[in-house]
Amino acid sequence: MEPIFKNDAIVFGILMISLGFVFYTESLKTGFWPKFYKIVPGLFMAYFIPALFTTFGVISPEWKTTTATGEVISNSSQLYYVASRFLLPAALVLMTLSIDLKAIFNLGSKALIMFFTGTVGVIIGGPLAILLISIFSPETVGGADFDAVWRGLSTLAGSWIGGGANQTAMLEIYKYNPAKYGGMVIVDIVVANVWMAILLIGIGKKDKIDKWLKADTSAIEALKEKVITFTQKVKKNPTLTDYMIMLAIAFGTVGFGHFSAKYLSEFFSEFVATIQSQTWRNVFSFLGSGFFWLISISTIVAVILSYTKAKNYEGAGASKLGSIFIYLLVASIGMKMDLNQAFENPGLIAIGFVWMTIHAVLLIIVAKIIKAPYFFLAVGSQANVGGAASAPIVAQAFHPSLATVGVLLAVFGYAIGTVGAILCTILMELSSTI
């Protein structure tokens, strides 16, 4: 179905009005809205309103048109691409300028434990979901040869542990029928986005959750306090020159990131292609991803800049400027969520939700045992399921100074994504034959 508005300039205006509405209503101190935002976080609304516009056909990330000659043409919005390739790395630079790496490492081992718990949750969640769904609907998890459902689900495992590069690697390894691959993409979009929405809602109740988990949040609070103290120390009324220099630093780094990523991804693609073992070729396929290098390089440059006077631009509002870019990314991600897709293939969607539920339950159990804060649970999960595009969103919702934690874990997810997904797929194949 064609959306009402197809022009990206108009769609961008709609997204900006949505964000303006969220921020305005969230700033109100009396009436209905303060009560509403005590339950539903503003960040969730920034994601959900564009999703509603897409669901009701007002806007759309992708659509098809038919010409007078009967030719079907595929069209797509470029807003998510711009937000993820330009604004996301720029936001990471601005939010990382004032980072204190020592304080980040002082967060301790619980961040890594929750990240790996999320990975294990995905690995065992797939085969368990197949076993459970097969009890009620054997045909849903069936299929033979290259139409076998477990082959298609392997691409979800790649996406939910690593990212797009790992997902593509799994499609290459297990040769799932390309004609049916679109159905798996829909499951990925629907389930992953619904899960992110749940995590965002949980952020609004993080204090209650942390109390239930009996979590020690002292390290996180210490990091936040350190950043707040530094910000107050260097705080200044920003001038036009300050804004221009901050934007120069951010987008200059993004430009360098794109320049470097092009050559690095090409170099490593060629290098990986020379590896004799197909298994190892697929394991290291993420090194050929330009997005992986873009995010990595932007973050590394920002960390280096944090040891220079550039960090003082936090006092002029660097992280606030970065937050604007993050909210634009959130809105563009929300735009990709069409709730109608949940009903297109209910069987596969059911597998996805059971899979994600197992992932979530394992995270909750481990967080309860080790008394990990909700921050580690949410970011550990999103670094797996959402990757570098959305883990920083969840992390910065707690505090802008924490965005880098999400990036570091997500980049690590790229590295182990294919190996974890292969293990998951082996178990899913076994589950399908029981």
Side-chain angles (χ1 to χ4, degrees), residues 96 98-105 223 226-227 306-307 311:
T96 306
S98 60
I99 191 177
D100 186 327
L101 269 186
K102 184 178 178 182
I104 291 285
F105 292 132
L223 174 58
K226 202 167 186 178
V227 172
S306 73
Y307 289 96
K311 72 183 301 179

Side-chain angles (χ1 to χ4, degrees), residues 245-288:
I245 292 174
M246 285 189 287
L247 290 173
I249 291 171
F251 287 104
T253 302
V254 172
F256 175 71
H258 276 277
F259 174 80
S260 305
K262 178 180 184 296
Y263 291 102
L264 285 170
S265 60
E266 288 176 356
F267 170 78
F268 280 102
S269 290
E270 292 174 3
F271 172 75
V272 171
T274 64
I275 298 175
Q276 295 298 315
S277 168
Q278 183 178 346
T279 301
W280 286 108
R281 280 203 306 273
N282 288 309
V283 166
F284 291 109
S285 62
F286 73 94
L287 292 174

Side-chain angles (χ1 to χ4, degrees), residues 185-330:
V185 174
I186 290 174
V187 177
D188 186 8
I189 293 171
V190 172
V191 177
N193 281 282
V194 168
W195 176 235
M196 187 173 86
I198 293 170
L199 290 175
L200 293 178
I201 292 173
I203 292 171
K205 304 178 185 299
K206 65 179 185 297
D207 293 336
K208 290 183 179 178
I209 296 173
D210 284 337
K211 187 177 180 181
W212 179 77
L213 292 170
K214 297 180 180 178
D216 177 11
T217 60
S218 57
I220 297 172
E221 294 304 319
L223 174 58
K224 288 162 60 176
E225 190 60 39
K226 202 167 186 178
V227 172
I228 291 169
T229 301
F230 173 75
T231 303
Q232 291 299 322
K233 181 181 175 183
V234 296
K235 190 173 183 180
K236 60 179 288 191
N237 188 25
T239 63
L240 177 60
T241 300
D242 290 326
Y243 282 120
M244 292 305 292
I245 292 174
M246 285 189 287
L247 290 173
I249 291 171
F251 287 104
T253 302
V254 172
F256 175 71
H258 276 277
F259 174 80
S260 305
K262 178 180 184 296
Y263 291 102
L264 285 170
S265 60
E266 288 176 356
F267 170 78
F268 280 102
S269 290
E270 292 174 3
F271 172 75
V272 171
T274 64
I275 298 175
Q276 295 298 315
S277 168
Q278 183 178 346
T279 301
W280 286 108
R281 280 203 306 273
N282 288 309
V283 166
F284 291 109
S285 62
F286 73 94
L287 292 174
S289 167
F291 185 65
F292 165 78
W293 288 112
L294 170 63
I295 297 301
S296 300
I297 291 166
S298 298
T299 305
I300 290 169
V301 171
V303 169
I304 293 171
L305 289 173
S306 73
Y307 289 96
T308 70
K309 289 184 178 180
K311 72 183 301 179
N312 291 335
Y313 280 104
E314 177 59 28
S319 62
K320 289 186 178 67
L321 193 56
S323 294
I324 292 173
F325 297 156
I326 287 289
Y327 270 93
L328 288 169
L329 175 63
V330 171

Side-chain angles (χ1 to χ4, degrees), residues 111-123 155-164 166-167 188 192 195 199 355-356 359-360 362-363 376-392 394 405-418 420-421:
L112 278 176
I113 292 173
M114 294 310 297
F115 169 78
F116 281 116
T117 299
T119 303
V120 172
V122 174
I123 291 173
T155 64
L156 290 185
S159 177
W160 289 352
I161 298 175
N166 308 90
Q167 185 176 28
D188 186 8
W195 176 235
L199 290 175
W355 191 343
M356 197 58 66
H359 165 82
L362 186 62
L363 281 165
F376 291 146
L377 186 157
V379 176
S381 171
Q382 201 60 26
N384 279 283
V385 178
S390 56
V394 173
V405 179
V407 179
L408 294 174
L409 290 177
V411 167
F412 193 52
Y414 279 118
I416 66 170
T418 304

